[in-house]
Each structure stands twice: as structure tokens, then as C-alpha cells.
Amino acid sequence: MSTEEDTKWLQWVTHQFETIAGEDREIDLQEFKAALNVKESFFAERFFTLFDSDGSGTITLQELLEALTLLIHGNPMDKLKFLFQVYDVDGSGSIDVDELRTVLQSCMRESAISLPDEKLDQLTLALFESADKDCNGAITFDELRDELQRFPGVMENLTISAAHWLTPPAAQPRRRRPRLLTSAYWHNHRSHLLCLTAYTVLHVLLFALAASAHRARGPSAMVAKGCGQCLNFDCSFITVLMLRRCLTWLRATWLAQVLPLDRNIQFHQLMGYVVVVLSLVHTVAHVVNFALQAQSEDSPFRFWELLLTTRPGIGWVYGSASPTGVALLLLLVLMFACSSSCIRRSGHFEVFYWTHLSYFPMWILLILHGPNFWKWLLVPGILFFLEKIIGLAISHMGAFCIVEVNLLPSKVTHLLIERPPLFHYRPGDYLYLNVPSIARYEWHPFTISSAPEQKDTIWLHVRSEGQWTNRLYESFKMLCPMDCGSGQLSKSLKRRRSQRRPQSLPSQPMHSGTSAQGAVAFSRDVTVELTSYRPKGTPQQGDQGVVGTGTEEGAPAQRGAPAHLGPVSEMSSENHLLCNIKCYISGPYGTPTRRIFASEHAVLIGAGIGITPFASILQSIMYRHQKRKHICPSCQHSWMDSIQDEDMKLRKVDFIWINRDQRSFEWFVSLLTKLEMDQAEMTQEDPFLELHMYMTSALGKNDMKAIGLQMALDLLAKKEKKDSITGLQTRTQPGRPDWNKVFQKVAAEKKGKVQVFFCGSPALAKVLKGHCEQFSFKFFQENF
């Protein structure tokens, strides 16, 4: 740091210290814990002890500055010495196995990772045996330094990430917004810009033609008629943007490459704003015109008669233009106010829904109000009512049943719905669900998470984030029947070393906390949902045509598996329910993810429950690979056909799943395990599918509160060929992805044109969109 930066840093630390210390100008342990905001008191106590150089039980400003100078400005060796002192709990000058276990346990709590005690022992022994080169039962400073050097870049960047108050906030560089004329921006927005341009030009043309036709009546009449002609188009075409069946059909045509079908809701909202603005201008212009007429000596009508009555005979149906105009404006203001996000997302969806149904009386009033509106409405109105009639007929042709419910972590409800015989959909599609027992008139959209090849049931994963979804979860929840000590670890280490043979034999991986099918490991004995597909005729242990869903031995078998693609569910009886609840579905409807199979290199990014559209896609990919797989009946040799499906041009798929906590991986971990198993059977040098898992609550390797745990996880994953957190072969990375590095790697693979598909929060979508524009990748976002 420069002298100026060092001065600013000193001033910042002094200010922060005075804020925390108060009048006594000293920080005690409790104040230190609150300032560091660490989850585990072990690290706070260890840091406090090392900062308190005189052992007085408090930290002065001078002691704090000395410690921070070492951690922030010190060289890697100074930081390493500090880390060694943190791990050396008893101050003996070496780290024994029990001290290391205590540290790793605290690291797990700091990163919100929960693993069984046996898995913690395995992690401890993996790191200890790797670092203890001379096998003397203790890790010295030199051995710790040598072990850290195996992880490049860690020693240089070692710090305490939680102590944000120790350093002034870094000035965030302003990200240059992409200019409209750059090739990268045009690459992702050309269809949107073309449609907006056409929309603007059309409005200018309609306004100019209508205004010029009434120029003899004065400026106010010209403005009113120009806005009225634009409203004729907007109030009729705005419905076309919500014709989901028509849009789904258009996605299968060449128009999907020209029209921004993925932005239909945004364009619908834009047209809504335009209708409100044009209506206000149209009304003001007529009010001015009426005021001028009322002031005229030749007018037999007063202002209020012109504005509110039919006596002047304004309009083509019994002079009803003025009162119908007032009624239209009131309905429009009501609909606009109740369409705001604060109404829709605050548990008052019914208000939004019922006020939005006023489009029908608005159309009747518009037909009475404007002599030419019926001509504009003719074609859109026919399409709209045809779609409504077809939708109602299909959805109410017969009620379907929710046959099974699984309550997953983070209040996610997994619904298995009886699949209608003629319900055909594509991977990534969504449907509208109505459960009369929850709310009779509410329909809510959910992505289908099962593959189309699964014939018997439709899967939905519903996260409880609103009033309706919370009621759904709670209603099923009401229906559902709802240490290995540290001293023993030292003995275990001695016993293992005494039994070690002279020859270095490959050790067998110890499977504890994770199942062979990839259940997420936890300290509690919880069996999570497992989903797997197997080809027809593949034997399975205990396969009797039914699947047991109980967790205790001898639990009754519940549901039969499909003949060739069977969802296998194993759930705790507390979270699993067989039921027969009536529901209605409407759909399916297409999404941007339909383009995935036409891509060459697809990057699928799901954040949290945003994995659901990709779950269906990944299952479909797996099924298609199973169809291409052949097994020789004589020698059991397997091979894959090199011929691709006609509708699948994929050459490479990168799947990135970002979760906040460990339990969220339970939702689809076994599906990903099966994908990895199928991937391992393929003979391709470059993997067709790559998984990338990120856990944002976990601290990275550069953090002193996590470096030991992350090193142990890496060592054990290399030894057991699977991740300790998820049970997958893919190592779960701590923190958030470095998108610049991720996209650089994707671009360097040169597998064809890259298309990025994202489902998750809008904030992350903006970040990803910026990176895609930088790398000239096509970006598609699922509305979440």
C-alpha cells in the first residue's frame, strides 16, 4: 500500500476502534466477537488471545494495529505463523490430532457445514496424515508450511474475511454500461431493439395519421384523436402478449429467432404503462376541448354535461363516449394500482387477479366508446377467447390427483401429479396449477422438473415464498406423520499407524455420511430423496416392482415404479405422504430453455430452486444417452452410438448450481449422482457434461477460519473419489463463482457457439448478462 493508502487505513481502523471500544478505549472479548461477526466463538477467542499481546484481557488500539499490520500488510510467512498459533491451541509449538479435530469442527460451524462425527474424523485424519510427514504424532510449523504450499495462492492471500470492519470498504469500480451500438449489446438485444423500434414507429405513424385527419378541429382534438388511435392498437394487442399457447407454438417456428418471445411479460408491462400514459393524455386533451366548447357562445351544453352525460350525443352508440370514457379511466387506474408488485407479492394476489379480470368490461366499454375499436379487437379477441375456451376445456376436462408429496429442506414441496394421457411437454416447460383445497380460484405457474420421458407422473418442486405456496407446504406438513470424542481420535490414529503395512497399499474409501447414490451428508441420520433412472431390464437389488418409502426395516412398499424409467424415492416417513388430492393443471407452456437442445455448447446456471427447469433437461439428456447405449449380451461390453438425435445438437453442457446452504443440495443430488455415473461409462476423452457446485455460505481457502477444512475436504475427496458434502464426484466449491474465470474457461474449450441459460434471482441475472455481453455469449433468462 502507498503512504496515502496506509494513512487512510490507519484512520479507518482508529475510527472503527473508537466506535466499538467506547469511552474506555479498550475492546473486551464480547465486543471483539460482535465486531468480527464470526459464527463460532472458538476463532474469536483464539484471535482475541493472539491480539491481546500483554494478556490483560482487553485489546488496546496499539495492540490492534500491530496485529492488523501483520495480517493485512505482513508477508505470507507472518500470516502463516499467525495461523499456526491459532491451530496450536495449547501453545506447545505443535498441533496434535485432537487440536486439529477441534479446529476443523469450528471451521465446519463457521462455514455452516454439517457432517457426521465419523466424517469429521476422516477429514481430520486425512489432513493430519498428509501434513505429518515424519509420523511423530504432531504437525510442526514447517510441516504446516509445506502442506499449505501444495495449494497455490493460498498463503499469499490468507486473511480473515469476516472482519470487514478491519479495512475500509474498497471503492467499487464503476462497471461501464454497454453502449447500444456495440456488437456485444446488439448480439443479445437485437430482437428487443427491433421490436421496440417497430413499436415506436407504429405509434408515431398512427398518431400522425389520426391527428392530421382532425387538424380542422384544433390542437386539443388532434392530440385526443392521435392518442385514441394508438390506444386502439395497444388495448387490443396487449392481450396477444399473454396468449401462452400461441407463444408456445411460435417457439417451435422460425419466428422464435426473430421475435423476443422470452420477453412477452416485460412487453406486456411496457404496453400497460403506455396505455396509462396515453389514456391520461387523451383524457386531458378532451377535457381541454370540452372546456373550450363550453366557453363558446354557440355551445348549448355546459362543461359537466359534455364530460359526464349523453345529452351532447358524442359517440357512436347513443352518445355514450363521455360517460364510458370516465368509466374506462376509473377501471384503468384501479387495474394499474392493483398490478403493482407491492400488491402482487404481499400476499394479496387475489386483488391483482380479480381486478385484472376487468379487461372484459373494459373491452365492452371500449367498443361503446370508440367507433373503430371493434375492428382492432376482432382478430386478437378471437384468438384470446379461443385460447381461453381451449384452456378451460382442457384443464377442467377432468380433475387430476396429487398422488405423492415429499417435503424437502428449505420448505420445498415436491409434488407428484398423475400425468394426463395427452399431456405432452418438452424439457423446461411449465404449467399452471390449481389446488381447490388451497385456493379455489388461484392458478400459479411452476416449472416441470420431471423429464418428458417419465410417463406416469409430473414432478413439481414448489418453494414456499408466498402466501399460496406457504399454505400448500403447511397443509401437507399437517397431514404428514410427522460423538466420537476427541480423545478417541488419538487412539484411532495410533492404532491405524501401528497396523500399517510396510508396502503402501491403496486404502479403501470409507463411506460414512454419504450413500452410494449421493445423499448429502449430515450429522443427523436423515434419508433424503433419491431419484434415479435405469434402463429397461436392468436388475436392481430387491427389485420386486415396487419401491419402499419407509426408512425403517420392513416398511411397507408404496408405489410401483414405471416399467422403463422409474423414479425411486426414499424419504423419511416424517416428510413423505401418499395422498389423493384433487388438482387442475393448465399447460404446458414453453420457455427459453427449449432452445437448449439446439445449442452447441450450453451453460446451465441454476441458483437455489432455480435448478428445476434444468432438472428436467438433465434427466432428458440422460434418457437420450441411455437410448444410445448398447450392452453386449455375451461379454457385457457397453458402447455409445455416435449418432446424435435430430433435435439435439449439443456437443458440451456445463451445469452450474449455486446454493446458499448444504441442505439445498438434497433436492436433486441423486439425479446428479446418476448423471456422473452415466458420464463415467462414456468413453469420450472430453466429458460431455461437467458439473460445477458452489455453496455460498462456505468460506473459501483464503480465509483463516476455513483453510484447514477446505484442505481436508480436498484431500479426502481425492482419496475417496467423491465430495464429502454432497457425495458427488464433483467437488463442491466454497463461496461464489468467479464468473470471469468460468466464462474464460468456457470460451477456451471452443465447442461451438455458447448459449447461457439462467434461472434464479434478477440481481444475479444482471451480473451474468454483463459477462455474456463481454464474451459475446447468447444469454437467456427464465422468469423466476
Side-chain angles (χ1 to χ4, degrees):
M1 296 177 68
S2 63
T3 305
E4 182 180 357
E5 292 175 334
D6 193 67
T7 303
K8 290 182 179 179
W9 171 78
L10 181 61
Q11 293 174 350
W12 174 264
V13 173
T14 304
H15 171 72
Q16 294 298 97
F17 179 86
E18 292 174 349
T19 303
I20 299 168
E23 297 180 358
D24 58 358
R25 298 186 61 82
E26 291 183 349
I27 297 177
D28 58 23
L29 178 58
Q30 295 303 320
E31 292 171 333
F32 187 75
K33 286 182 179 180
L36 242 61
N37 192 28
V38 294
K39 302 174 185 177
E40 176 58 35
S41 60
F42 169 82
F43 286 105
E45 292 169 1
R46 293 298 300 148
F47 293 153
F48 184 85
T49 301
L50 296 174
F51 280 25
D52 183 18
S53 56
D54 59 2
S56 62
T58 58
I59 299 176
T60 63
L61 176 60
Q62 185 62 32
E63 289 175 330
L64 180 65
L65 290 175
E66 290 175 359
L68 294 185
T69 302
L70 181 145
L71 288 176
I72 298 175
H73 304 295
N75 56 46
M77 197 58 60
D78 292 332
K79 297 178 183 179
L80 181 58
K81 290 178 180 178
F82 183 86
L83 176 67
F84 184 83
Q85 290 175 324
V86 172
Y87 281 32
D88 183 15
V89 180
D90 59 5
S92 62
S94 63
I95 305 170
D96 61 36
V97 67
D98 296 328
E99 287 177 323
L100 185 60
R101 186 185 191 277
T102 302
V103 171
L104 294 188
Q105 189 174 35
S106 300
C107 289
M108 285 169 47
R109 293 172 182 168
E110 194 69 34
S111 292
I113 296 175
S114 177
L115 296 175
D117 288 340
E118 188 177 354
K119 178 62 68 175
L120 173 60
D121 294 344
Q122 293 178 28
L123 290 168
T124 304
L125 294 176
L127 179 57
F128 193 87
E129 291 178 340
S130 178
D132 186 16
K133 304 298 184 183
D134 56 7
C135 299
N136 66 347
I139 300 175
T140 63
F141 174 79
D142 293 335
E143 288 174 331
L144 180 63
R145 180 198 59 205
D146 295 340
E147 186 66 22
L148 278 172
Q149 287 176 346
R150 297 174 55 187
F151 299 86
V154 172
M155 289 181 59
E156 291 77 5
N157 299 312
L158 208 57
T159 183
I160 306 176
S161 65
H164 298 297
W165 63 282
L166 300 177
T167 55
Q172 295 293 332
R174 294 183 61 185
R175 191 170 71 88
R176 185 173 58 89
R177 295 180 62 85
R179 292 181 299 175
L180 297 182
L181 299 180
T182 60
S183 59
Y185 190 88
W186 175 257
H187 180 72
N188 269 308
H189 299 84
R190 56 178 178 266
S191 61
H192 307 162
L193 295 175
L194 287 174
C195 284
L196 282 174
T197 302
Y199 180 72
T200 304
V201 171
L202 178 62
H203 275 63
V204 172
L205 183 62
L206 290 174
F207 186 93
L209 291 176
S212 63
H214 296 83
R215 58 181 177 273
R217 297 176 57 184
S220 59
M222 292 175 63
V223 172
K225 293 299 181 180
C227 291
Q229 189 74 321
C230 293
L231 285 169
N232 283 334
F233 170 76
D234 287 330
C235 291
S236 57
F237 188 77
I238 195 171
T239 60
V240 176
L241 298 172
M242 302 309 293
L243 300 180
R244 299 184 184 90
R245 295 183 186 276
C246 293
L247 294 175
T248 300
W249 176 78
L250 286 175
R251 291 181 191 279
T253 67
W254 61 272
L255 290 173
Q257 305 296 327
V258 180
L259 300 177
L261 301 179
D262 308 332
R263 311 281 292 183
N264 65 307
I265 295 178
Q266 287 80 359
F267 273 100
H268 176 81
Q269 293 172 338
L270 172 65
M271 291 190 73
Y273 288 118
V274 172
V275 167
V276 171
V277 172
L278 289 177
S279 298
L280 292 175
V281 175
H282 176 78
T283 302
V284 170
H286 271 309
V287 168
V288 171
N289 189 33
F290 290 159
L292 293 175
Q293 288 185 33
Q295 292 176 1
S296 174
E297 297 179 356
D298 299 333
S299 176
F301 303 106
R302 285 172 289 183
F303 173 74
W304 67 270
E305 292 178 315
L306 291 169
L307 185 63
L308 301 175
T309 68
T310 60
R311 289 183 59 192
I314 303 173
W316 73 300
V317 180
Y318 302 110
S320 60
S322 293
T324 55
V326 174
L328 281 168
L329 185 63
L330 294 176
L331 276 177
L332 181 64
V333 170
L334 177 66
M335 183 185 291
F336 179 75
C338 295
S339 299
S340 61
S341 58
C342 62
I343 297 292
R344 288 184 288 112
R345 300 184 184 276
S346 61
H348 299 88
F349 182 83
E350 297 91 344
V351 176
F352 161 76
Y353 177 78
W354 288 110
T355 55
H356 237 61
L357 290 180
S358 60
Y359 64 83
F360 187 70
M362 283 190 69
W363 279 347
I364 296 176
L365 290 172
L366 282 168
I367 292 173
L368 298 175
H369 180 77
N372 296 316
F373 179 74
W374 69 271
K375 301 175 185 177
W376 291 89
L377 184 63
L378 189 60
V379 175
I382 291 174
L383 289 175
F384 181 83
F385 283 109
L386 281 176
E387 173 152 322
K388 284 294 182 182
I389 292 170
I390 293 173
L392 288 173
I394 293 176
S395 62
H396 288 81
M397 190 176 296
F400 302 100
C401 292
I402 300 173
V403 295
E404 193 172 337
V405 177
N406 295 317
L407 301 183
L408 304 181
S410 302
K411 296 188 72 175
V412 172
T413 309
H414 176 202
L415 303 177
L416 281 77
I417 303 174
E418 178 186 9
R419 181 171 176 176
L422 300 178
F423 190 86
H424 303 294
Y425 64 96
R426 298 180 64 179
D429 285 359
Y430 70 99
L431 55 77
Y432 274 78
L433 175 67
N434 170 256
V435 184
S437 60
I438 303 298
R440 183 176 297 274
Y441 300 107
E442 288 192 30
W443 292 78
H444 293 271
F446 298 105
T447 302
I448 303 171
S449 54
S450 54
E453 293 81 8
Q454 186 173 328
K455 302 300 182 183
D456 290 354
T457 56
I458 300 170
W459 289 6
L460 302 178
H461 284 74
V462 182
R463 184 160 193 175
S464 302
E465 289 189 336
Q467 189 179 47
W468 188 90
T469 53
N470 273 300
R471 288 207 307 265
L472 180 75
Y473 181 88
E474 294 300 330
S475 63
F476 286 120
K477 187 176 181 181
M478 290 171 61
L479 293 173
C480 286
M482 228 41 216
D483 207 35
C484 177
S486 61
Q488 295 176 345
L489 190 60
S490 300
K491 300 176 182 178
S492 174
L493 176 65
K494 295 176 181 178
R495 183 169 60 254
R496 288 181 59 181
R497 285 181 168 171
S498 64
Q499 294 175 352
R500 183 175 296 170
R501 297 180 181 180
Q503 295 86 359
S504 58
L505 298 176
S507 59
Q508 297 296 325
M510 289 175 286
H511 302 280
S512 84
T514 55
S515 71
Q517 288 183 308
V520 179
F522 277 95
S523 58
R524 295 184 291 111
D525 184 15
V526 177
T527 308
V528 300
E529 175 201 13
L530 301 180
T531 307
S532 64
Y533 284 108
R534 48 193 174 91
K536 184 177 181 179
T538 303
Q540 179 175 329
Q541 183 179 1
D543 189 4
Q544 301 294 333
V546 293
V547 179
T549 57
T551 57
E552 297 181 3
E553 186 177 356
Q558 304 288 353
R559 286 182 48 80
H564 62 287
L565 290 179
V568 182
S569 297
E570 298 177 3
M571 288 294 297
S572 169
S573 59
E574 296 180 358
N575 298 321
H576 176 257
L577 175 69
L578 296 177
C579 55
N580 189 18
I581 297 176
K582 184 173 69 173
C583 70
Y584 296 97
I585 59 176
S586 176
Y589 303 111
T591 64
T593 52
R594 282 196 169 194
R595 307 186 189 189
I596 287 177
F597 290 98
S599 308
E600 294 177 331
H601 189 170
V603 180
L604 316 181
I605 304 174
I609 199 64
I611 187 182
T612 47
F614 304 134
S616 175
I617 292 163
L618 293 173
Q619 290 178 82
S620 187
I621 291 175
M622 183 169 62
Y623 175 80
R624 298 184 190 198
H625 278 289
Q626 288 289 352
K627 283 184 63 177
R628 293 169 51 210
K629 181 180 178 181
H630 300 279
I631 301 177
C632 176
S634 301
C635 63
Q636 300 300 315
H637 172 70
S638 62
W639 70 95
M640 306 288 292
D641 285 339
S642 59
I643 302 175
Q644 295 281 356
D645 295 346
E646 294 180 358
D647 59 343
M648 190 172 87
K649 301 178 182 179
L650 280 171
R651 297 165 59 187
K652 177 67 183 296
V653 177
D654 281 284
F655 173 66
I656 303 172
W657 190 13
I658 309 164
N659 272 317
R660 181 178 302 171
D661 52 58
Q662 180 183 1
R663 299 209 65 186
S664 297
F665 288 106
E666 292 182 15
W667 299 334
F668 296 98
V669 69
S670 53
L671 166 64
L672 301 179
T673 302
K674 188 65 172 64
L675 284 170
E676 287 186 331
M677 292 169 61
D678 290 343
Q679 182 78 16
E681 296 176 0
M682 299 176 64
T683 56
Q684 299 178 356
E685 293 183 3
D686 296 330
F688 169 76
L689 171 67
E690 278 194 49
L691 304 180
H692 311 270
M693 318 296 284
Y694 291 88
M695 181 176 166
T696 57
S697 66
L699 302 177
K701 293 178 182 177
N702 293 334
D703 196 303
M704 288 188 178
K705 303 185 299 300
I707 175 61
L709 176 62
Q710 293 301 328
M711 289 168 58
L713 288 170
D714 283 345
L715 291 168
L716 193 59
K718 186 177 180 180
K719 177 182 178 182
E720 295 188 345
K721 306 300 182 185
K722 67 175 183 179
D723 182 53
S724 296
I725 296 176
T726 62
L728 298 171
Q729 296 176 14
T730 303
R731 171 79 165 87
T732 303
Q733 299 299 323
R736 291 176 170 79
D738 185 336
W739 295 113
N740 203 41
K741 291 182 179 179
V742 170
F743 288 143
Q744 280 180 355
K745 179 178 179 295
V746 169
E749 291 178 350
K750 297 181 179 179
K751 294 289 185 179
K753 292 183 179 180
V754 178
Q755 293 187 335
V756 178
F757 300 86
F758 171 71
C759 184
S761 66
L764 182 55
K766 291 181 180 180
V767 175
L768 292 172
K769 197 171 184 179
H771 284 283
C772 288
E773 289 168 0
Q774 179 183 349
F775 287 88
S776 298
F777 294 164
K778 194 72 175 177
F779 179 78
F780 301 96
Q781 179 185 359
E782 177 102 6
N783 290 320
F784 186 66

